[in-house]
Amino acid sequence: MKKLLSLTIIFVLVFCMMAGCAANANQPDETDRIDKTDTLDDFELPDEPGMPDEPDLPDEPVQPDISSRPPIDASNLSADPFSFQVSFDGSAVQFPCAASDLMALGYSFGDKADNILENGYFTSASMVLNDNRIFVGILNISGEDKKFSECTIKSVSVYANYSEGQTIYISNGITFGMTPEDIMAIYGNEPDYKYESDSYLSLKYEVDYANYIEFTFNDESLNEIYINSTP
């Protein structure tokens, strides 16, 4: 009985010692404690990353005042193959030109004259004179939205079958019906671009990628002249 009592006392003492050690092990060290009275003002926050400076934007392009150019003597078109002049029934136009230059010759956008072209955009349209028609590229770099009739014409296509009864010439007296040999005698035998099929031929001569002239032949006869000229 005494042995049992002794063992019981020893067991109780050992259990109490173990419980006390476990409690101390779970107690946080003083150095790990956070003073609950601290505020955010007591901590130094890292600097916020700076925003990059906005890039400088280019100035708005200015619409060239090409309508103020002096008139060209249609009877004496330039011999320069890349002069980009076109004579319509004796009245010469220098491309690029103002839409008003073609309208002064009688060409009209019809019901599209008041169509709006946004600043910085390019589009195409046809202009009509009686039963004749030309196809133009319209550019607006004026800094504001404008009507077709107030924009710049940077390109023009004239076709033999849309110009019946008209007399249309470009430099060196080039006109519809000429042969590829006639054109190459003026512009050279090595065009910048050439496409040929059974009855179709296209010759393109460039000043650069934005300024060029292209001739299209059907059955060896010049049928279309296309001029692209950037202001």
Side-chain angles (χ1 to χ4, degrees), residues 120-132:
Y121 280 78
F122 171 83
T123 190
S124 57
S126 62
M127 298 185 73
V128 178
L129 172 61
N130 300 323
D131 294 327
N132 300 315

Side-chain angles (χ1 to χ4, degrees), residues 37-220:
T37 63
D38 290 342
T39 66
L40 288 175
D41 294 334
D42 297 319
F43 296 90
E44 186 174 321
L45 298 176
D47 294 332
E48 293 185 5
M51 295 296 292
D53 295 331
E54 291 190 8
D56 293 328
L57 297 176
D59 294 332
E60 282 284 346
V62 178
Q63 187 86 347
D65 186 14
I66 51 185
S67 61
S68 63
R69 291 174 177 166
I72 300 169
D73 183 356
S75 65
N76 188 26
L77 286 173
S78 171
D80 178 4
F82 295 102
S83 61
F84 300 136
Q85 298 171 4
V86 182
S87 172
F88 298 90
D89 291 327
S91 297
V93 177
Q94 172 75 60
F95 288 90
C97 68
S100 58
D101 291 340
L102 292 173
M103 295 170 69
L105 303 182
Y107 285 99
S108 169
F109 287 106
D111 57 2
K112 293 185 178 180
D114 291 334
N115 282 15
I116 298 297
L117 182 61
E118 295 180 31
N119 176 52
Y121 280 78
F122 171 83
T123 190
S124 57
S126 62
M127 298 185 73
V128 178
L129 172 61
N130 300 323
D131 294 327
N132 300 315
R133 186 183 301 268
I134 59 176
F135 300 87
V136 296
I138 310 170
L139 177 67
N140 181 9
I141 53 173
S142 65
E144 58 182 326
D145 298 350
K146 284 194 171 185
K147 298 177 181 179
F148 281 12
S149 57
E150 299 172 340
C151 290
T152 296
I153 304 298
K154 70 178 292 290
S155 64
V156 60
S157 287
V158 290
Y159 291 83
N161 54 332
Y162 285 114
S163 304
E164 295 181 2
Q166 284 188 288
T167 303
I168 295 180
Y169 290 100
I170 64 170
S171 62
N172 292 274
I174 294 173
T175 190
F176 300 123
M178 286 187 165
T179 66
E181 289 72 22
D182 295 329
I183 301 303
M184 288 188 285
I186 297 169
Y187 284 86
N189 294 323
E190 298 295 334
D192 295 286
Y193 171 84
K194 179 179 180 180
Y195 178 80
E196 187 173 9
S197 64
D198 291 342
S199 60
Y200 176 91
L201 174 65
S202 178
L203 303 175
K204 180 179 179 182
Y205 295 88
E206 297 179 345
V207 176
D208 52 45
Y209 75 97
N211 296 274
Y212 56 87
I213 187 165
E214 189 168 359
F215 302 95
T216 300
F217 303 84
N218 286 328
D219 296 322
E220 297 286 306

Side-chain angles (χ1 to χ4, degrees), residues 5-19:
L5 181 59
S6 297
L7 291 172
T8 301
I9 292 171
I10 292 169
F11 177 79
V12 171
L13 291 174
V14 171
F15 179 81
C16 289
M17 291 174 65
M18 293 177 64

